[in-house]
Amino acid sequence: HLNYFPGEAPFIRGNNAAGYRTAPNVISQILPYFDPEEANKELKEAISRGQTGVELHPDTATSGYRYGTTILDTADFLALFQDIELCSLHINVKAGDYAPAFLNLFANELKSRGCKPEQLHGSIPIAPLGQVLRNGFLSQSIERMERITTDMVAFRTERLPNVKVLSVDMGTVHHSGASAVQEIAAALSMAVEYADRLTKHGLNIDDIAQSIR
């Protein structure tokens, strides 16, 4: 690919001309600790050794994540991130149907700490179509799920512009033996379906695209 440059079509060498000089790799790992205070201690230790992000699979009342950190209320959330610089942390939160609650928790905590909304990067995604592929049904009605997803995209656009809230989840397709071409086709189809449904609820296509990971 010597005839192509980063940031130039056909983007074989990436879509960012400056590459990782302006967008360095995130060093992150899952927190495998039940207790928020223990997880906080281990996270601080990891950050001191160079970790720049956190992969959080919260164990809520009905999440089903048996190996995640227990977060049942605001107190647990605050205990987990006590004395941790949220403004510069890259976060990925896999909270399922609890994603809207975590989105609100992070937005409120950033505000209380005086951080700028655009400083937080990462994802707190919801994946309704991925849920259908995995389980064969939604955990809530289609109408309610569309409203929740619409509200999350609108909230993210206004409050946390660098956090992705909508996941094109290809896990089921990938583990079912799909080829790379089939997986890409399924991902594009899912993204188009999200865009089609959410624009009908009045959202801007650019805001939708910026919300997808």
Side-chain angles (χ1 to χ4, degrees):
H1 307 305
L2 296 179
N3 294 326
Y4 302 105
F5 293 93
E8 297 182 2
F11 304 107
I12 293 173
R13 297 177 62 187
N15 61 0
N16 185 347
Y20 293 110
R21 288 177 294 177
T22 58
N25 284 321
V26 175
I27 303 172
S28 181
Q29 62 183 5
I30 297 174
L31 283 174
Y33 304 98
F34 291 105
D35 182 64
E37 294 182 359
E38 182 183 2
N40 170 266
K41 179 182 178 181
E42 296 297 331
L43 180 56
K44 285 191 286 190
E45 174 64 22
I47 291 173
S48 72
R49 291 186 274 106
Q51 184 170 316
T52 58
V54 58
E55 186 84 12
L56 180 62
H57 293 189
D59 180 12
T60 57
T62 59
S63 68
Y65 295 121
R66 299 180 181 178
Y67 306 104
T69 304
T70 301
I71 301 178
L72 301 179
D73 52 30
T74 303
D76 288 339
F77 177 85
L78 295 178
L80 173 60
F81 290 105
Q82 183 178 1
D83 300 325
I84 289 176
E85 183 54 69
L86 275 182
C87 300
S88 58
L89 193 66
H90 190 284
I91 54 101
N92 287 306
V93 182
K94 190 173 182 180
D97 287 346
Y98 287 87
F102 279 90
L103 194 66
N104 194 56
L105 282 170
F106 275 101
N108 289 340
E109 185 60 16
L110 283 176
K111 184 178 180 179
S112 71
R113 296 188 184 193
C115 300
K116 296 180 179 179
E118 62 271 16
Q119 287 183 275
L120 186 68
H121 289 74
S123 66
I124 309 173
I126 193 168
L129 294 181
Q131 190 179 96
V132 172
L133 284 178
R134 184 172 58 255
N135 302 327
F137 58 87
L138 286 169
S139 59
Q140 304 178 64
S141 69
I142 292 176
E143 293 76 16
R144 178 168 173 74
M145 189 62 78
E146 285 185 358
R147 175 48 56 193
I148 290 172
T149 306
T150 300
D151 290 345
M152 286 185 66
V153 172
F155 184 94
R156 168 258 169 207
T157 301
E158 180 181 353
R159 299 281 303 275
L160 296 173
N162 290 316
V163 174
K164 309 296 184 183
V165 298
L166 191 54
S167 174
V168 174
D169 184 357
M170 287 291 104
T172 301
V173 175
H174 177 79
H175 293 297
S176 296
S179 67
V181 172
Q182 291 170 328
E183 195 169 331
I184 291 171
L188 290 173
S189 296
M190 185 178 288
V192 169
E193 182 68 17
Y194 281 138
D196 181 57
R197 287 179 177 272
L198 294 178
T199 51
K200 290 178 181 178
H201 285 272
L203 291 178
N204 182 286
I205 185 63
D206 291 330
D207 292 339
I208 298 169
Q210 289 295 321
S211 299
I212 295 176
R213 61 159 291 179

